[in-house]
Amino acid sequence: PDGIDSITNGTGVLGDRKQVNTVRNSAGSYLIDRTRGKGIFTYDAANGTELPGTLWLDVDHQLDGLLDGAAVDAHHYAGLTFDYFKTVHDRNSYDGQGAAIVSTVHYGKAYNNAFWSGSQMVYGDGDGEKFLPLSGSLDVIAHELTHAVTESTAGLIYWNDAGAINESMSDIFGVLIEHAYSETPDWQIGEDVYTPKVEGDALRSLADPTLKGLPDHYTKRYLGLEDFGGVHINSSISNKAAYLLANGGTHYNVKVEGIGIEKTGKIFYRTLTQYLTPTTKFRQLQAASVQAATDLYGADSQEVTSVKAAFAAVGLK
Ligand SMILES: CCC(=O)Oc1c(C)cccc1C(=O)O
Ligand SMILES: [Ca+2]
Ligand SMILES: [Ca+2]
Ligand SMILES: [Ca+2]
Ligand SMILES: [Zn+2]
């Protein structure tokens, strides 16, 4: 639809007020953000499963209805995720070419999932017990959009080690992007929308994966076939390494000197986009991360020493 670029006030899933970039005409305000790359477009599946559904239109230019929150957050947080990759890593959208970013909200009925479909992001509303609408959490949206970055670069297949590393990259950048824009950043995933009736829990913790019974060492990895060979389970091994690299600590008697979250982001971005391949295994991830840190900071740097220690602490090399 044609119209003028404008800014519309809205209320997110958690009742927080924010502004979104829209296109406005006589019909109303569309969730189209033409200020970023080839645009950010948010759609409504209206609790069906047709994708992408209908382009979101608000007729009174006030995105403050109960159903609007999921769309407001999907649109706003996609914009922040775009900004992170552009300003921190000089990457123009997930493909580096300004690709249009498409999201659909209100997918399915009480659907407790969010996913990258291979061409767009998709968010369920949750059932109100396990999840609130899943686009209500910046780290979740950043996780999903990082799947698109991974697909455009390393292409890590969604199975066994490569799939766990794929998942881990999404969790790590979910945390990095939350730290870039949230006033209450943490090393957990999904806490803002997970189990609204239970305080203090999350979908996963990178700081302590064992809180959800997930492995924090390579010797504890899952070897079964569930979850595509444990992609949401073994991701915790490199998630823990990333936590240690940024924050430092001693893990299974291995001491890691923290290097901070910015340098951690630089190293994992270079690792993901320059060295990982569709079939990378965990030991190769360690080598790739050491190489990326060497490229960035030099072979004798503290950063390289800390990368080696962080991976050694989780049993890699
Ligand atoms: C942090 C976001 C996340 O993990 O989303 C998923 C959910 C909630 C269920 C199944 C798959 C995913 C995914 O995107 O990997
Ligand atoms: Ca309205
Ligand atoms: Ca979080
Ligand atoms: Ca909770
Ligand atoms: Zn994922």
Side-chain angles (χ1 to χ4, degrees), residues 129-130 190-203:
E129 296 293 332
K130 187 174 182 189
E191 68 283 347
D192 291 343
V193 293
Y194 186 68
T195 60
K197 294 171 182 163
V198 178
E199 271 308 298
D201 61 348
L203 187 57

Side-chain angles (χ1 to χ4, degrees), residues 290-309:
V290 168
Q291 186 57 56
T294 302
D295 297 346
L296 291 165
Y297 304 106
D300 305 330
S301 62
Q302 176 60 58
E303 291 82 358
V304 167
T305 300
S306 291
V307 168
K308 289 176 179 172

